Amino acid sequence: MLETAATHGLFEATRRSLQAVPNELPAVWLYDARGSRLYDEITRLPDYYLPGREAEILQARSSLLSRRTRARTLVELGSGSAPNTRYLLDALGGTLERYVPFDVSEQALHDSAATIAAAYPAVSVEPVVGDFERDLGALPGAGPRLVAFLGSTIGNLYPAQRAAFLSALAHELGDDDALLLGVDLLKDVDRLEAAYDDPSGVTEAFVRNALRAANRELDASFEQERFDYDPLWDPVNEWMDVGLRARESHAVPVRRLGLELEFAAGERLRVEISAKFRREAFELELERAGLTPESWWTDAAGDFAVVLAHRSRNGRSSHV
Ligand code: AVJ
């Protein structure tokens, strides 16, 4: 990876996160080609209920979604290999002309774009490589647009980042456009922990892959054997705190960023958070960002929600 204007922002954000307390490697480092493949494997794990629940909701609400949005353009943020996208493409078949998948993983993006283009010949597929927190410019395609952000990827953002991201999105949406968000809901801690710590070790391999990516792209020297996989439920913030814990005190050079990280024995390196949501609080967040939630759909078990929202009519945001 060359340091271009586009990577400069990511490198700076990475430098700041690595020096924060606790140390953190931003979650985008999880999604190189190998990481995207490992995440695909996660979506097939029995304990990782999220994609299945979301699929159930999208299937049940497909005709409503089509009637409410009449979308001509579907923009999908963080599309990855787009496992649940086909439910949207099927639902919007009557009106849809263009599908714009947007993802940091170039490989996953091009593979899924090719698969979807072959399966939906009437839809023009126009992939965009980028980081949805940084590179979201004017939304492409003719309106009405549907902007989808599925899989509870929004849960990777901290509350302040989420607020900024939702406001930026609200700002880009036209009156006829709609936003569709998949959010994982708060539930028994046992089930949450099981979803992030599978016995086959796929989730651990996925998280450890971020160290491999950092070693390669940032000329760092993280040593896998010096860390244990350490997923934790944070009951105060109501998020899974996913990361690694140093087995012993040691230093890790990150040459490209000019850093030498010091880890004490037992010190953590966070790789992602995965926030779990409550309806009332999340709807308030949407309203504060200048979005009006219109539908809140859940699966039969109440594990997951898909939210349809529009830009609020009066002004940018409400002051609650
Ligand atoms: C892709 C961000 C939705 O937070 O559940 C899965 C990533 N990490 N297992 C999530 C993930 C560990 C996932 N998202």
Side-chain angles (χ1 to χ4, degrees), residues 42 48 189-199 201-208 227-235 239-246 266-274 276:
I42 290 175
Y48 194 72
V189 175
D190 290 354
R191 289 187 55 214
L192 290 171
E193 287 176 343
Y196 292 86
D197 200 5
D198 62 284
V202 177
T203 307
E204 175 172 350
F206 168 73
V207 171
R208 287 184 177 278
F227 291 94
D228 288 316
Y229 178 50
D230 188 35
L232 295 174
W233 171 246
D234 179 335
W239 62 50
M240 284 300 302
D241 181 340
V242 179
L244 300 153
R245 184 180 289 278
E267 198 172 340
R268 285 181 103 248
L269 174 67
R270 180 182 286 161
V271 174
E272 62 174 353
I273 57 160
S274 191
K276 305 304 164 188

Side-chain angles (χ1 to χ4, degrees), residues 282-284 286-287 291-296 307-310:
F282 190 69
E283 288 185 335
L284 203 58
L286 292 175
E287 280 158 18
L291 294 161
T292 303
E294 194 162 287
S295 306
W296 179 275
V307 191
L308 184 67
H310 286 89

